[in-house]
Amino acid sequence: MSVLYIVGTPIGNLGDITYRAIETFKQVDYVAAEDTRHTLQLLNHFEIKKPLISCRSQNEKFAGEKIVKILDEGHSVAYASDAGTPGISDPGAVLVDLVREAGHDIVPIPGASAFATLISVAGSGGKTLIFEGFLSPKPGKRRSRLRELMATGDAIIIYESPFRITKLLSDISDIDSKRRIVVGRELTKLHEEVISGSAEELQKDFAERASVKGEFAIFISGTKKIQLSEESADN
């Protein structure tokens, strides 16, 4: 049956893959991937052999059209990004649009994401949460967008690379040094680290480190008070 499966894969620890994801990879005719080398390692680990199709951000439209043709021929395809759930700061959205426009079924196979992983240990999320993903690498645009986001008063999740994390924390501290933040580094991996404190405290922490490695997810707390109804409070 011609179906596109959007498969969430582990963001680090291979033990986080779901049974359903493994079974999906086993049953499809093709596996499309953001990085075929990365996905090949995952498939090899579970002794799964499938033809691979490259579908990364640089060629997503071209690859998407190729995948549509494969689906037109009656085959099934599973798509995986490098790690986590496709479409969350990873390629996948363009592919989904093309396949939906072509009239084929799209089935989500849920999995891990740094977004959900950090939220689960952040606390104090409030009623509304803004997911921004990666900010602009340009300092002016990054600071301007941060001010806009933090002015909403809502909690925010941002992704950042090790090359700009210290600068990002400095920008957050400059805007509101007392704002509580939670930094998740290398989530689910061997050197996982989750630390919490004020923006000023964490900016100093990272500024004093000899080197900074890993991928980061950052939770910035909101300033709005959580309002509980009488019924919620009673429960």
Side-chain angles (χ1 to χ4, degrees):
M1 184 172 64
S2 56
V3 177
L4 173 67
Y5 297 91
I6 302 299
V7 184
T9 57
I11 59 176
N13 191 318
L14 293 182
D16 290 335
I17 197 166
T18 67
Y19 289 117
R20 191 177 176 204
I22 293 173
E23 289 305 311
T24 299
F25 284 134
K26 287 180 177 179
Q27 75 179 32
V28 296
D29 301 309
Y30 294 86
V31 173
E34 179 184 1
D35 186 330
T36 54
R37 295 168 299 180
H38 186 280
T39 301
L40 181 60
Q41 292 177 348
L42 176 68
L43 296 178
N44 285 342
H45 181 80
F46 292 103
E47 300 181 344
I48 300 170
K49 296 186 182 297
K50 295 290 176 177
L52 290 169
I53 303 168
S54 172
C55 183
R56 57 192 190 280
S57 58
Q58 295 86 347
N59 75 338
E60 192 171 0
K61 187 175 186 300
F62 174 79
E65 292 170 348
K66 179 179 178 179
I67 290 168
V68 167
K69 290 182 179 179
I70 290 172
L71 293 169
D72 288 341
E73 294 169 356
H75 300 295
S76 57
V77 180
Y79 177 68
S81 55
D82 281 358
T85 300
I88 302 182
S89 283
D90 290 304
V94 172
L95 173 61
V96 166
D97 284 342
L98 289 171
V99 171
R100 180 168 287 119
E101 288 171 6
H104 294 292
D105 291 335
I106 303 168
V107 176
I109 308 297
S113 72
F115 168 77
T117 301
L118 185 62
I119 291 171
S120 71
V121 294
S124 306
K127 187 176 180 180
T128 303
L129 177 67
I130 299 172
F131 174 67
E132 183 70 7
F134 287 95
L135 293 169
S136 171
K138 297 181 179 180
K141 287 187 176 181
R142 182 178 64 244
R143 286 192 290 268
S144 177
R145 182 57 179 154
L146 266 176
R147 290 191 187 95
E148 292 175 355
L149 291 168
M150 294 174 68
T152 66
D154 294 318
I156 306 154
I157 291 278
I158 293 171
Y159 290 168
E160 192 51 276
S161 74
F163 309 107
R164 291 187 296 272
I165 182 63
T166 303
K167 293 178 181 178
L168 174 67
L169 293 174
S170 180
D171 290 339
I172 297 172
S173 182
D174 287 343
I175 296 168
D176 185 350
S177 63
K178 303 304 180 185
R179 187 76 68 98
R180 176 180 169 271
I181 62 177
V182 180
V183 174
R185 183 179 72 86
E186 292 289 90
L187 291 172
T188 80
K189 301 176 185 177
L190 180 62
H191 300 292
E192 177 182 84
E193 180 181 22
V194 178
I195 54 175
S196 173
S198 70
E200 182 179 32
E201 290 169 341
L202 295 194
Q203 187 276 327
K204 289 181 179 179
D205 180 320
F206 278 83
E208 293 171 355
R209 298 189 181 199
S211 64
V212 179
K213 298 180 181 180
E215 297 299 322
F216 291 84
I218 302 93
F219 171 89
I220 306 173
S221 69
T223 56
K224 296 176 181 176
K225 299 295 183 182
I226 302 175
Q227 299 295 326
L228 295 177
S229 66
E230 290 184 5
E231 182 180 349
S232 297
D234 290 341
N235 291 336

